[in-house]
Amino acid sequence: QADLQTTRDLHRQANAKYEQGDYASAQSILEQALAIQERVLGENHLDHVELLKKLAQAKVKLGQYSAALPLVQRVADIHIQVLGPRHPTTLLALSHLSSVYSQEYGPEASLPLQERIVKLQEEALGPDDPLAAIGRSTFHQMRARLTQKTNKPESPRFSRSEKRERALATLAPEREALLAGIDDMHWHDLHHA
């Protein structure tokens, strides 16, 4: 109980740091809280979900976009393990994962996951359910539209975020000098040029 109280306290501290725009501190505190909570509750527990979501948000704010996808994947995995694949909250977590995957690798790459979501929804609600029918119809329309553009959907080797991070890491020294200090600005405090 003491460890779980420590985790709750750390979560509050991380939220405060996040609201102040100190995303690096928020990330560090969230990772510490998650480690304690995993030790106490095990790997798959629904209490990890909020910490993982906030950690993904902090990583995005820090420009670590490619590090967010594994956290979103873990949230979906926890829901599947704890609630089962057909639970409405699990389907929402899978839908969010599909959205993030589509942003990273393109809509074609997310088709297998979206098809899985449609099948799970049909299993949960029944094939004649209106929501299941809408989901199935939307998926078929999207798949037809995407396969018209390309005959064989292929996932790129690297996500968009990984490509961006690699490009930023290989900036020429003169370009890097132009960007020096840009991350030190408190952009959220500025209102105009």
Side-chain angles (χ1 to χ4, degrees):
Q1 289 302 317
D3 284 342
L4 292 176
Q5 183 58 50
T6 300
T7 300
R8 287 189 288 271
D9 293 341
L10 289 170
H11 195 174
R12 278 193 292 276
Q13 290 173 26
N15 284 337
K17 293 289 185 187
Y18 186 93
E19 292 303 319
Q20 295 167 4
D22 186 357
Y23 306 118
S25 294
Q27 175 184 332
S28 176
I29 295 168
L30 287 165
E31 287 170 345
Q32 183 183 356
L34 187 60
I36 294 169
Q37 194 165 275
E38 286 173 338
R39 186 171 35 92
V40 174
L41 301 175
E43 287 290 312
N44 293 317
H45 198 284
L46 286 176
D47 285 355
H48 302 334
V49 168
E50 289 306 313
L51 291 172
L52 289 165
K53 285 181 179 179
K54 197 64 168 189
L55 184 56
Q57 291 171 358
K59 287 186 180 289
V60 166
K61 291 287 189 181
L62 289 167
Q64 302 169 6
Y65 299 98
S66 61
L69 180 58
L71 297 172
V72 175
Q73 174 73 59
R74 180 138 183 250
V75 167
D77 291 343
I78 288 172
H79 280 92
I80 290 168
Q81 290 293 321
V82 177
L83 299 175
R86 294 176 199 86
H87 192 278
T89 309
T90 302
L91 292 173
L92 285 174
L94 287 170
S95 293
H96 184 235
L97 174 62
S98 173
S99 172
V100 174
Y101 200 81
S102 177
Q103 290 170 2
E104 288 296 324
Y105 293 101
E108 300 89 0
S110 70
L111 283 176
L113 181 54
Q114 292 178 14
E115 184 175 22
R116 179 180 174 204
I117 293 167
V118 168
K119 286 181 181 178
L120 288 170
Q121 192 175 31
E122 286 178 343
E123 290 172 12
L125 301 174
D128 298 329
D129 185 86
L131 286 176
I134 290 169
R136 183 175 52 250
S137 172
T138 303
F139 170 73
H140 288 306
Q141 290 172 10
M142 184 177 63
R143 183 176 60 188
R145 192 171 57 247
L146 290 173
T147 52
Q148 283 176 354
K149 294 179 183 178
T150 154
N151 290 336
K152 185 180 177 189
E154 293 182 18
S155 297
R157 283 182 50 188
F158 301 106
S159 70
R160 291 178 178 147
S161 295
E162 288 170 323
K163 290 176 186 176
R164 175 186 176 275
E165 290 162 8
R166 286 172 183 235
L168 288 174
T170 59
L171 282 176
E174 60 274 8
R175 289 187 179 215
E176 205 168 312
L178 290 172
L179 298 174
I182 199 165
D183 290 330
D184 299 331
M185 293 292 296
H186 293 280
W187 295 106
H188 59 282
D189 293 337
L190 301 178
H191 301 286
H192 54 77

